Amino acid sequence: MIVMEAKSSCKPKKKRKCRCIPKKKRCEKQERRRPVFPVYPCPPKRMHRKKRNPNCCITPPCFRPVYPVDPVDPVDPGKPKISTVVDKECCGNILLQGKQPGFVIWENDVDANMSVVQISIFSNSNSSEALEVEVEGETKKLMFVPPGSTTNLIGKGITSVKIVTQGNELSYVEGKYVISTTLQLIKNG
């Protein structure tokens, strides 16, 4: 059983001075009777309210004990599925001089329930032209990174990141990339 104590920050009320009223004389044969009041778990509400001191608090409510509830067992769906979350990060440098064929810098070949990928690509200010990056997944996207800047992309279901064929024999592109991946892998238990 849980029992909660309730405390009040009210100042104790000052006792009133008793004004004596002359007592009636009683017969010696009669017994003194005390008035009987019913016992309530909480004090009964009074019909006539007196003005309260605004500095005094309201009497705290009664607290009932709270009993813990037993959890309901779920229906057995068969084999339980165990999921594992994997965070991976890869980074590298990009250097393109002259005309070069396109190449893949990152590829996801894992069958995952959910995958979230963040791609950050930086192009050095010494680059002669913008860097073009192709992101493949549920949809195909092109990222253009001008010299001296960084471009970011956060996507779901991305399968590969590829540097596109670009430039001429005099082009020079230098940069860096960081690719962060979060995969949720599911195994049957």
Side-chain angles (χ1 to χ4, degrees):
M1 182 162 130
I2 300 169
V3 179
M4 300 177 85
E5 292 184 17
K7 294 183 179 180
S8 175
S9 61
C10 298
K11 295 179 183 177
K13 293 183 179 180
K14 294 180 181 178
K15 293 183 180 179
R16 295 183 189 172
K17 292 183 180 179
C18 180
R19 295 181 185 170
C20 296
I21 301 173
K23 295 182 180 179
K24 294 181 183 178
K25 292 185 180 181
R26 296 184 185 206
C27 295
E28 293 177 11
K29 293 179 182 177
Q30 285 184 344
E31 293 180 15
R32 279 188 145 179
R33 291 186 184 177
R34 290 187 178 175
V36 179
F37 297 101
V39 178
Y40 295 100
C42 295
K45 294 182 181 177
R46 295 182 182 175
M47 298 300 285
H48 302 287
R49 294 186 180 197
K50 296 179 181 179
K51 289 184 181 178
R52 293 185 178 200
N53 184 355
N55 297 331
C56 185
C57 304
I58 299 174
T59 307
C62 293
F63 294 104
R64 283 187 258 158
V66 178
Y67 300 102
V69 178
D70 293 332
V72 178
D73 293 332
V75 178
D76 185 21
K79 292 183 178 180
K81 294 185 177 181
I82 302 168
S83 65
T84 305
V85 177
V86 178
D87 293 325
K88 282 298 201 180
E89 187 173 283
C90 69
C91 57
N93 296 321
I94 301 169
L95 178 61
L96 302 172
Q97 292 177 331
K99 189 165 182 152
Q100 291 185 348
F103 57 95
V104 175
I105 58 173
W106 181 84
E107 188 173 22
N108 182 9
D109 192 22
V110 177
D111 186 25
N113 182 35
M114 185 181 81
S115 65
V116 177
V117 179
Q118 178 179 353
I119 304 164
S120 298
I121 299 180
F122 166 74
S123 179
N124 195 330
S125 59
N126 296 333
S127 299
S128 61
E129 55 188 71
L131 181 62
E132 291 182 41
V133 180
E134 184 180 286
V135 179
E136 291 185 23
E138 294 172 359
T139 60
K140 193 179 220 182
K141 297 181 181 176
L142 279 173
M143 295 172 62
F144 293 96
V145 187
S149 64
T150 303
T151 303
N152 296 300
L153 172 76
I154 297 176
K156 182 179 172 185
I158 295 174
T159 56
S160 69
V161 179
K162 181 180 179 181
I163 304 294
V164 179
T165 304
Q166 62 184 26
N168 54 33
E169 293 184 18
L170 299 175
S171 64
Y172 174 81
V173 178
E174 186 181 350
K176 296 181 184 230
Y177 68 91
V178 177
I179 300 174
S180 302
T181 310
T182 301
L183 302 170
Q184 183 179 18
L185 307 174
I186 294 183
K187 301 175 187 175
N188 289 334

